Amino acid sequence: NSEVQSGEAVQEKGHRYELRCGSKADLNRQVVRNGTASVSFPDWDFSAPPTTTSKLTTVEGLISHFIDDLSMDQDQRKELVPEVYEQIEVLIAKLRTALELPEEHGEQDSDNAFTVVIDDPTGNSYVENLCAPNPDPRLSIQYYRRTREQMIQLGLLNPDAEDTQEAEEAGQGQTATKGPRINALQEAAAADNVVRAVKEASQSHEILSFPANCSSCNAPCDTRMQMVDIPHFQEVIIMSTTCDDCGYKSNEVKCGGAISSQGRRITLKIEDKEDLSRDILKSETSSFNIPELDLDMVAGTLGGRFTTIEGLIRQVHNELDSRVPFMEGDSAVAERRERFKRFLSRLEDAAEGRLFPLNITLDDPMAHSYIQNIYAPDADPNMTIEDYDRTFEQNEDLGLNDIHVENYENGAERA
């Protein structure tokens, strides 16, 4: 029995894992399939819906489980619905062929290579990263906001309350629409009101506070918010949460202002301990890279952070040490666990100032990241700043390709 029960709260966003399997090592990857996750194989047009149980297994175990389920009652199908029997037999043959992958990856994928997709709206399913803590070239992770239907299925939204609201709108002669109703002007006005309130509180040296729930233990706690003016950069909102029950602490930075027309790449060469004390703002859209440590963190990791370079390295260390799955316990591969410990040790050396020189690169397609220039307003000899045009894929990930601003105000007034 390999069933597991998730002890995590529902994550802020859903997770979608896409893995390209081309060798035995990929088949042996450990997988936590939460009961809310669907599994699909696009190459074979096969999809398995969510189940009632969660399971710790491997990619090979998933496929073997599907083979066993599909093989059940095949004798009856052969007598009653032979056409369905033939289709299932073809699918079972493809699944069995998928288990015959080569030992190692070649220059090109074998004919039996396939793609598996695990989509979990709760964000509590996992696929082992063989290159942790660096990105795995054969594994991609996408984060998305749950739809209304997914929220109802997870019990996070009351469908009756929504239906009542729709009935009231229909009674008033309005057209009822499913899903959240968003008015762009109202959303923009609400955001402006929040920024204005934070600015007024900051000018009077007050800190705004609003109730929230701890992301670690889900206990009620307070989140504090204040506007900070970073010299030679822009104003940002710093949000801090402290839980009195479990002691969990977090801080996050939200950047305001207009969307930059270009992305920005900042590279700093660290030569002594004084450089570790420089202020750094890593926005949630920025990637973070230190080649000397083989550290490459994709955009979205850690969210937005305003700290020092030393503080950011320590946060990366603590996050990886506590949150990277399959690196502790009897399920961890000894060689991979030792390699991960050596990597954490090098991160600790870098934070303590025992490893020089280092080159830190922030690549932010929104140009909302910043590293302190201690020579300002003069140029920093150890820092290079490069502005570049975003690619179509970057604009697509940021949702900028769907924005239309031509005659926006006139269209909004007519609406």
Side-chain angles (χ1 to χ4, degrees):
N1 186 354
S2 59
E3 291 184 9
V4 295
Q5 292 294 330
S6 175
E8 291 280 347
V10 176
Q11 304 301 312
E12 180 181 355
K13 294 182 178 180
H15 294 176
R16 184 179 185 273
Y17 292 87
E18 184 171 332
L19 172 65
R20 183 65 179 175
C21 295
S23 70
K24 291 289 187 182
D26 294 325
L27 291 176
N28 291 330
R29 289 178 189 251
Q30 297 182 88
V31 175
V32 175
R33 183 197 179 185
N34 200 30
T36 57
S38 62
V39 181
S40 61
F41 298 88
D43 299 303
W44 310 319
D45 293 328
F46 173 64
S47 178
T51 63
T52 57
T53 58
S54 302
K55 182 175 292 189
L56 171 62
T57 181
T58 63
V59 175
E60 182 178 359
L62 275 178
I63 296 176
S64 299
H65 175 73
F66 292 142
I67 292 175
D68 294 339
D69 282 355
L70 291 172
S71 300
M72 193 178 301
D73 299 329
Q74 273 293 80
D75 293 337
Q76 297 180 11
R77 294 191 190 98
K78 186 175 182 180
E79 297 294 334
L80 300 176
V81 279
E83 63 278 3
V84 175
Y85 166 82
E86 294 294 339
Q87 294 174 359
I88 294 179
E89 280 296 311
V90 171
L91 178 57
I92 291 176
K94 292 179 179 178
L95 290 173
R96 286 175 175 158
T97 304
L99 300 178
E100 301 173 358
L101 293 177
E103 292 293 334
E104 297 181 355
H105 293 289
E107 295 183 359
Q108 295 182 350
D109 283 341
S110 67
D111 296 336
N112 297 335
F114 62 93
T115 300
V116 57
V117 177
I118 298 179
D119 191 335
D120 187 359
T122 67
N124 288 330
S125 292
Y126 302 94
V127 177
E128 185 178 10
N129 180 353
L130 300 182
C131 302
N134 293 323
D136 192 322
R138 306 191 72 85
L139 177 66
S140 64
I141 307 175
Q142 295 179 350
Y143 304 93
Y144 62 89
R145 296 192 179 277
R146 288 179 283 270
T147 63
R148 177 178 178 271
E149 289 74 15
Q150 289 173 330
M151 297 281 282
I152 293 175
Q153 291 174 358
L154 297 176
L156 303 177
L157 184 65
N158 185 355
D160 296 334
E162 188 72 16
D163 293 341
T164 302
Q165 184 177 1
E166 291 177 0
E168 291 177 355
E169 290 183 353
Q172 296 172 0
Q174 299 178 1
T175 301
T177 58
K178 292 186 177 181
R181 284 160 291 281
I182 299 177
N183 185 301
L185 294 179
Q186 291 178 355
E187 289 286 314
D192 290 340
N193 291 336
V194 172
V195 173
R196 190 180 303 109
V198 174
K199 284 185 177 180
E200 292 175 354
S202 300
Q203 291 173 358
S204 58
H205 303 287
E206 296 180 3
I207 298 177
L208 293 182
S209 179
F210 58 90
N213 288 340
C214 174
S215 60
S216 179
C217 68
N218 207 35
C221 59
D222 291 332
T223 295
R224 297 171 180 84
M225 182 167 54
Q226 188 175 31
M227 181 81 73
V228 175
D229 186 9
I230 300 179
H232 308 287
F233 186 55
Q234 65 183 33
E235 291 182 332
V236 298
I237 297 177
I238 295 182
M239 304 172 67
S240 175
T241 302
T242 302
C243 179
D244 296 332
D245 285 11
C246 68
Y248 175 78
K249 296 180 180 180
S250 71
N251 66 81
E252 192 167 355
V253 175
K254 298 293 185 183
C255 297
I259 297 175
S260 173
S261 60
Q262 290 183 308
R264 175 165 294 182
R265 186 180 296 108
I266 306 174
T267 303
L268 174 67
K269 184 177 182 180
I270 300 177
E271 297 180 331
D272 51 43
K273 284 190 174 182
E274 292 184 358
D275 288 331
L276 292 175
S277 62
R278 294 187 188 223
D279 291 336
I280 182 171
L281 170 63
K282 189 197 83 67
S283 75
E284 58 187 3
T285 58
S286 171
S287 61
F288 179 61
N289 176 267
I290 305 180
E292 292 80 4
L293 300 179
D294 293 327
L295 175 64
D296 186 9
M297 307 198 74
V298 298
T301 307
L302 292 179
R305 290 290 186 268
F306 181 45
T307 178
T308 62
I309 293 177
E310 177 188 353
L312 183 59
I313 294 176
R314 291 192 183 279
Q315 289 180 10
V316 172
H317 178 281
N318 295 337
E319 191 78 9
L320 293 176
D321 191 23
S322 61
R323 291 186 176 270
V324 173
F326 309 120
M327 286 299 173
E328 296 292 340
D330 56 3
S331 65
V333 179
E335 179 184 355
R336 200 173 302 136
R337 181 171 57 230
E338 292 300 322
R339 185 171 68 243
F340 187 66
K341 287 183 177 179
R342 290 195 299 267
F343 172 80
L344 292 180
S345 177
R346 296 186 67 194
L347 275 181
E348 184 68 25
D349 291 340
E352 292 290 341
R354 296 191 292 263
L355 190 60
F356 294 114
L358 297 173
N359 290 280
I360 288 182
T361 301
L362 290 179
D363 191 343
D364 191 349
M366 297 286 284
H368 282 164
S369 295
Y370 157 87
I371 298 179
Q372 181 184 11
N373 178 2
I374 58 178
Y375 297 92
D378 298 329
D380 191 325
N382 290 336
M383 184 187 302
T384 58
I385 300 177
E386 176 189 358
D387 292 330
Y388 61 89
D389 294 329
R390 286 185 293 266
T391 64
F392 178 86
E393 289 75 15
Q394 288 175 322
N395 285 330
E396 186 71 18
D397 292 339
L398 297 170
L400 301 180
N401 290 333
D402 299 327
I403 294 180
H404 300 282
V405 296
E406 294 82 0
N407 300 321
Y408 172 74
E409 294 182 354
N410 295 334
E413 291 175 358
R414 289 195 301 271

